[in-house]
Amino acid sequence: IIGVNSQHSGLGQLKFGLAQNIINETEQLIFERRTLIFINIIITFVVGTISLIIWAFRHQEKSYGWFALTSLFWGCFAYNFIALKPFPFPDSLLTARLNLIFLLAYTGCLCLFSWRFAHQHFKKLEFLLFSTIFILTTILLITLTPYLKSVFAFSFYFSCLIFILNCIFFQWIAYKNRQK
């Protein structure tokens, strides 16, 4: 079993009982934790590829390019949930760092996709967002192992916060543009 202690990886809770009950529960867990994520990755790859093709022929449609990048980073992030071995590096700690970098990149690209989709540009906000993502990426790469748990947590919560704020902000953009 390969995993990073700060990510609570591993076997999890052990259960004893009738073999058929354990087999049924295991199959359900595999479906929920692997198959559904795999289906999500395939759909993301297909839609992202379509967006990339559209963007390749229509460069002025920047939202398609940002969506393709968003899909790429989401696919890379989600793949690490179903990977049987640390990928792309054999070191699970480096893979965990890279996975959080994918999450940070996903959130940044998602923001730009949604803003470009709404035909909006926020130069200062975009600079602040990507500067912060760059700084966090650098910190993730250079942080010593004893301090990783807090850096991992901060990076994850930062991505979640940006995602939620972007969802709220996009509602404000839609409301504001509806009145024009």
Side-chain angles (χ1 to χ4, degrees):
I1 297 170
I2 300 173
V4 178
N5 185 33
S6 60
Q7 292 184 326
H8 307 290
S9 307
L11 285 175
Q13 190 177 24
L14 295 177
K15 294 190 177 187
F16 297 96
L18 296 173
Q20 191 57 46
N21 293 345
I22 301 297
I23 289 170
N24 292 341
E25 191 173 322
T26 302
E27 288 173 353
Q28 181 65 29
L29 286 174
I30 288 172
F31 178 74
E32 290 172 2
R33 295 184 183 172
R34 295 189 51 79
T35 308
L36 289 178
I37 294 173
F38 185 69
I39 292 169
N40 176 282
I41 291 169
I42 290 172
I43 293 170
T44 300
F45 176 73
V46 169
V47 176
T49 302
I50 291 169
S51 295
L52 181 63
I53 291 169
I54 292 171
W55 177 76
F57 289 105
R58 297 184 54 127
H59 286 292
Q60 69 273 18
E61 298 287 342
K62 301 217 184 297
S63 62
Y64 287 103
W66 283 111
F67 186 78
L69 266 177
T70 301
S71 298
L72 171 73
F73 287 124
W74 177 256
C76 291
F77 174 74
Y79 173 77
N80 279 292
F81 286 109
I82 63 171
L84 298 175
K85 294 180 183 176
F87 179 81
F89 306 106
D91 177 15
S92 59
L93 193 54
L94 187 55
T95 300
R97 293 174 194 247
L98 186 61
N99 202 36
L100 277 170
I101 291 169
F102 288 147
L103 181 62
L104 288 167
Y106 161 75
T107 347
C109 291
L110 180 67
C111 289
L112 259 68
F113 158 67
S114 61
W115 299 343
R116 295 303 181 266
F117 183 74
H119 304 290
Q120 299 293 313
H121 294 269
F122 305 101
K123 299 228 184 268
K124 291 179 182 178
L125 186 58
E126 292 169 17
F127 178 78
L128 178 66
L129 175 65
F130 280 97
S131 296
T132 307
I133 289 172
F134 177 77
I135 290 167
L136 282 173
T137 298
T138 305
I139 291 171
L140 276 167
L141 291 173
I142 64 172
T143 300
L144 300 173
T145 306
Y147 307 105
L148 270 181
K149 188 172 184 175
S150 57
V151 172
F152 281 179
F154 182 81
S155 299
F156 178 77
Y157 291 132
F158 174 79
S159 293
C160 292
L161 177 67
I162 294 301
F163 180 87
I164 292 168
L165 288 176
N166 184 55
C167 291
I168 295 167
F169 187 54
F170 189 78
Q171 300 301 314
W172 176 78
I173 292 170
Y175 178 76
K176 182 179 140 188
N177 287 339
R178 181 183 65 89
Q179 293 182 356
K180 287 186 178 181

